[in-house]
């Protein structure tokens, strides 16, 4: 049977910050009518020059425990001069700029760019990148009962004893210290290592078994749960702690922030025998803008 399988990309996030960015110099496909072309160009005449368009965003502000949203009219109001400030709004949590999320986003876009540079089979029009990053400083937790995660065999995919679920989160690893039967899962510096373990376990044990080895970790190299701040503690006297959490994280943490960048919206994808220069242009320009935000 033919079917579509949908994924909730935000499922592993506590306070997901989300942005939809349309990529490419043209938002109309090669078979669009003159009327359609005129309609699309009039919506955002700068698309060809800028190479991308912000379609909307939702940003979690830590200090107020609330979301700020912007719709497509916000994105269409951005000019070549203001697009940098417009994008940076997505990475600002109401207190400071989340440079860790920007750095991680750039790395993920670069991987998508690498794929586009090497393929000549498809051209994408009116397609988007979906950005998601964790707005909360609280890491997800998994519960341990009478076993450790040093090696767990014979358990259905993603399932821990007691019915608890361990998400296959590319950006997660486990701190060795325990508290009240729980361990904190925090951002790590090696998504590739975790993925390799997951892939190896998946191929060896098929769908029914999991092997996950957790090696000794240096406490200084992880984002400790003790530095995380819940909303009830935001009473005006924790600004220095917030600064430690969001603005002065170690370099290895910044490089592996809990971030997803996914290609979405494939209604207008066409066969081709050339590189998708329009999409590549948009990706490169977006990387440049993000890098400028990071540097400045």
């Amino acid at each position: 049977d033919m079917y579509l399988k949908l994924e909730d990309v935000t499922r592993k996030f506590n306070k997901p910050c989300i942005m939809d960015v349309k990529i490419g110099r043209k938002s109309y496909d090669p078979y669009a009518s003159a009327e359609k072309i005129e309609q699309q160009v009039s919506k955002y005449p700068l698309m060809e020059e800028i190479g991308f368009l912000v379609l909307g965003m939702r940003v979690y502000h830590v200090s107020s425990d609330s979301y700020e949203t912007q719709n497509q009219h916000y994105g269409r109001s951005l000019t070549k001069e203001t697009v940098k400030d417009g994008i940076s709004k997505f990475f600002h949590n109401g207190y400071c700029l989340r440079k860790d999320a920007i750095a991680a986003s750039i790395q993920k876009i670069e991987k998508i760019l690498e794929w586009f540079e090497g393929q000549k089979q498809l051209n994408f029009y009116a397609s988007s990148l979906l950005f998601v990053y964790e707005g909360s400083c609280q890491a997800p937790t998994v519960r341990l009962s009478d076993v450790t995660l040093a090696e767990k065999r014979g358990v259905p995919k993603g399932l821990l004893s007691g019915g608890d679920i361990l998400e296959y989160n590319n950006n997660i690893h486990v701190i060795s210290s325990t508290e009240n039967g729980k361990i904190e899962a925090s951002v790590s510096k090696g998504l590739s290592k975790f993925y390799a373990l997951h892939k190896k376990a998946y191929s060896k044990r098929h769908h029914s078994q999991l092997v996950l080895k957790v090696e000794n970790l240096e406490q200084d190299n992880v984002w400790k749960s003790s530095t995380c701040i819940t909303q009830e503690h935001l009473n005006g006297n924790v600004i220095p702690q917030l600064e430690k959490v969001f603005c002065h994280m170690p370099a290895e943490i910044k490089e592996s922030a809990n971030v997803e960048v996914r290609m979405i919206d494939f209604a207008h994808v066409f066969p081709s025998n050339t590189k998708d220069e329009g999409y590549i242009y948009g990706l490169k320009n977006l990387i440049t803008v993000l890098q400028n935000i990071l540097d400045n």
Side-chain angles (χ1 to χ4, degrees):
D1 295 333
M2 297 296 292
Y3 63 92
L4 289 175
K5 183 178 181 180
L6 303 181
E7 178 186 5
D8 178 7
V9 181
T10 69
R11 74 193 183 281
K12 65 185 180 182
F13 296 89
N14 292 320
K15 298 291 184 181
C17 298
I18 308 167
M19 178 170 66
D20 186 334
V21 182
K22 185 181 291 186
I23 304 293
R25 305 185 76 170
K26 297 178 180 178
S27 57
Y28 54 87
D29 61 60
Y31 300 99
S33 64
E35 182 181 4
K36 179 70 172 179
I37 293 175
E38 183 181 357
Q39 178 195 44
Q40 289 297 311
V41 172
S42 65
K43 284 184 177 181
Y44 194 57
L46 292 173
M47 189 78 178
E48 186 168 358
E49 183 178 4
I50 294 179
F52 61 85
L53 167 64
V54 177
L55 293 179
M57 66 175 70
R58 188 179 77 159
V59 187
Y60 177 69
H61 285 181
V62 178
S63 56
S64 62
D65 189 28
S66 62
Y67 283 96
E68 178 185 355
T69 60
Q70 302 289 348
N71 60 23
Q72 59 181 312
H73 299 294
Y74 170 81
R76 296 186 196 283
S77 70
L78 299 177
T79 65
K80 190 175 180 181
E81 290 73 30
T82 63
V83 69
K84 182 180 124 181
D85 291 336
I87 293 284
S88 67
K89 197 179 190 75
F90 173 63
F91 294 100
H92 204 287
N93 65 6
Y95 172 67
C96 69
L97 192 66
R98 286 290 304 275
K99 290 192 173 186
D100 59 319
I102 299 174
S105 295
I106 291 173
Q107 289 179 349
K108 290 180 180 290
I109 299 171
E110 286 175 340
K111 290 183 179 180
I112 295 174
L113 175 60
E114 183 180 353
W115 182 82
F116 270 92
E117 292 279 19
Q119 72 91 20
K120 297 181 179 180
Q121 295 179 320
L122 300 169
N123 279 3
F124 293 71
Y125 301 92
S127 186
S128 292
L129 291 183
L130 184 72
F131 291 77
V132 187
Y133 73 87
E134 179 57 65
S136 169
C137 67
Q138 288 183 299
T141 61
V142 289
R143 195 157 54 243
L144 291 181
S145 54
D146 56 346
V147 295
T148 67
L149 273 175
E151 187 168 307
K152 189 170 184 64
R153 300 178 184 272
V155 179
K157 178 178 178 289
L159 208 62
L160 295 178
S161 61
D164 295 316
I165 293 176
L166 172 65
E167 290 287 352
Y168 286 121
N169 178 345
N170 285 344
N171 300 322
I172 210 170
H173 74 191
V174 180
I175 297 176
S176 57
S177 62
T178 62
E179 180 182 358
N180 295 329
K182 290 189 176 183
I183 57 173
E184 294 292 334
S186 181
V187 289
S188 83
K189 59 183 177 181
L191 90 88
S192 58
K193 188 172 183 180
F194 188 92
Y195 176 73
L197 284 171
H198 163 54
K199 189 174 181 182
K200 181 179 179 182
Y202 196 79
S203 61
K204 280 191 174 184
R205 307 288 184 229
H206 201 255
H207 293 274
S208 62
Q209 291 183 308
L210 165 69
V211 177
L212 179 60
K213 293 186 178 179
V214 179
E215 299 175 357
N216 292 329
L217 305 170
E218 292 181 9
Q219 290 291 335
D220 291 338
N221 289 339
V222 294
W223 185 8
K224 297 183 181 67
S225 60
S226 60
T227 64
C228 284
I229 302 163
T230 57
Q231 178 58 28
E232 54 265 26
H233 296 141
L234 291 174
N235 53 8
N237 61 355
V238 292
I239 295 301
Q241 289 176 278
L242 274 176
E243 188 172 351
K244 288 179 183 178
V245 171
F246 285 115
C247 303
H248 299 295
M249 287 184 285
E252 63 268 20
I253 300 298
K254 291 184 179 182
E255 292 175 0
S256 58
N258 201 356
V259 174
E260 289 281 2
V261 179
R262 301 288 191 90
M263 292 176 62
I264 62 171
D265 297 340
F266 307 114
H268 302 278
V269 180
F270 293 85
S272 173
N273 55 11
T274 62
K275 285 185 180 181
D276 191 341
E277 297 295 347
Y279 202 104
I280 290 173
Y281 175 89
L283 290 177
K284 287 182 176 180
N285 209 23
L286 181 56
I287 290 172
T288 299
V289 170
L290 290 174
Q291 192 63 55
N292 285 339
I293 296 172
L294 194 60
D295 294 341
N296 296 335

